[in-house]
Amino acid sequence: MHYLISIAGLVIVLLLAWLGSNNKKKIKYRPIIVMIAIQIGLGLIILKTSIGEFLIKGFADSFAKLLGYANEGTDFVFGGIANEGAHTFFLYVLMPIVFMSALIGILQHYKILPFIIKYIGLVLSKINGMGKLESYNAVAAAIVGQNEVFISVKNQLGLLPKHRLYTLCASAMSTVSMSIVGSYMTMLEPRYVVAALILNLFGGFIISSIINPYEVTPEEDIVEVQVEEKQTFFEMLGEYIMDGFKVAIVVGVMLVGFVGIIALINGVFSGIFGISFQGVLGYVFAPIAFLIGVPWHEAVEAGSIMATKLVANEFVAMLDFVKIQEGLSGRTTAIVSVFLISFANFGSIGTIVGAVKGLNEKQGNIVARFGLKLLFGATLVSVLSALIIGIIF
């Protein structure tokens, strides 16, 4: 029965994307069908085969070791602040972002990441029927982050028409940065984090191909990656370490504000209506959770977490999810976990607008105009990825 519900949910998601399409006549259905098949195939490999289990274990163990190395630095600087044996979110979830940012900087400095990003993007462009720039941007956003990716293509940014700019921004909002993947793995099962990273990449192409279809001419189909100003190794390392620290601080401050505000609203709602704000959101989002594949008796709890991610951010939702996931079925845990792995929330609209506007004010203003449609598309990507997990689980 759950297969039928998930398939119905898949049809509804694709229909919603089609209803929001800028040009229904230009939609290329063949690449979309191929990419959905690839999503299902990759999902099966990751979650249902010994090969996938081996790869996920290797990936998770590697990140565990990296987090261990990161914690060496954290313990050296902050040792004694936290109570012995206590888990401190800022120190052991956010501070590793600094180390991961430094590692990404080293891989960038020695041209390892640009090489990987360029050629993976080239292969993907043959599958998704989109331009090389769009494919490069999607891979780059998943590695370096939704803000930094625009810096790497800033030479072309001012020349892009509205439709191509939408696709670039949608890709950035649909993914997450590798610098914070390790932080997610401290709260969610690594296999679901990895599955979401891969599924969101293809999901971004699928939804953008429906909502925002267009042709790219051979003359337009180029990628001009901005070459960073030559720095010494230690100049680069210091810059990336500070960038990682800024991200950790921003995420921490946002959490302080969002968690506090949500607690206040929950208190007001509980006092007036006898039910928390998140409880109300749970009932509103329960049908969506059910269509994704969550059993009905868990749909309200799952819907509450999904809604929290949309109105706040994924970290706030994960903190709430950690408190309840032991009481949920494995199927619901898998679906919700995958749904949470993206930057699709209202706050990301401002983040992306600010990133683009900082490089090109005119283009930033254009992005601001289609901000809500951007969130609509990115949320459909998260729903689609969760649906795929629901189908194969």
Side-chain angles (χ1 to χ4, degrees), residues 314-346:
E314 75 282 5
F315 271 112
V316 177
M318 285 177 198
L319 287 171
D320 286 341
F321 187 51
V322 167
K323 298 173 186 175
I324 66 168
Q325 64 177 329
E326 286 188 6
L328 300 175
S329 64
R331 178 180 178 77
T332 298
T333 297
I335 291 171
V336 176
S337 295
V338 170
F339 179 85
L340 295 180
I341 306 295
S342 84
F343 290 140
N345 59 69
F346 282 99

Side-chain angles (χ1 to χ4, degrees), residues 100-113:
M100 296 303 298
S101 180
L103 186 60
I104 287 174
I106 293 170
L107 295 175
Q108 286 273 71
H109 184 75
Y110 289 110
K111 311 298 182 187
I112 297 171
L113 279 186

Side-chain angles (χ1 to χ4, degrees), residues 90 94-106 148 179 231 233-251:
F90 180 77
L94 297 185
M95 287 309 293
I97 294 173
V98 178
F99 174 79
M100 296 303 298
S101 180
L103 186 60
I104 287 174
I106 293 170
E148 293 80 359
S179 65
Q231 293 177 302
F233 177 83
F234 288 104
E235 283 178 324
M236 172 281 302
L237 189 60
E239 183 176 307
Y240 274 87
I241 287 172
M242 288 305 299
D243 286 344
F245 183 69
K246 290 173 186 174
V247 171
I249 292 296
V250 168
V251 172

Side-chain angles (χ1 to χ4, degrees), residues 30-71:
R30 185 173 178 275
I32 292 168
I33 294 170
V34 169
M35 286 188 285
I36 291 174
I38 290 173
Q39 280 189 309
I40 294 172
L42 290 174
L44 285 169
I45 291 171
I46 292 169
L47 299 183
K48 297 292 185 179
T49 69
S50 56
I51 295 174
E53 185 179 346
F54 173 78
L55 293 174
I56 295 300
K57 187 178 185 305
F59 193 83
D61 288 348
S62 297
F63 265 93
K65 287 181 180 179
L66 290 174
L67 289 173
Y69 298 142
N71 289 338

Side-chain angles (χ1 to χ4, degrees), residues 156-217:
Q156 287 177 268
L157 200 60
L159 305 174
L160 293 175
K162 178 182 177 181
H163 53 273
R164 296 191 77 185
L165 188 61
Y166 175 91
T167 300
L168 263 61
C169 294
S171 294
M173 189 182 282
S174 301
T175 58
V176 293
S177 168
M178 286 298 289
S179 65
I180 60 176
V181 165
S183 299
Y184 294 153
M185 287 185 178
T186 65
M187 295 180 282
L188 305 176
E189 285 191 46
R191 59 178 176 153
Y192 300 141
V193 176
V194 175
L197 293 174
I198 297 171
L199 294 178
N200 286 351
L201 183 64
F202 286 97
F205 295 137
I206 292 167
I207 298 300
S208 291
S209 295
I210 299 172
I211 289 181
N212 187 43
Y214 54 86
E215 295 282 347
V216 178
T217 65

Side-chain angles (χ1 to χ4, degrees), residues 263-284:
L264 170 64
I265 296 173
N266 280 337
V268 172
F269 267 68
S270 296
I272 298 175
F273 304 109
I275 183 174
S276 70
F277 175 64
Q278 286 174 292
V280 173
L281 290 178
Y283 285 102
V284 173

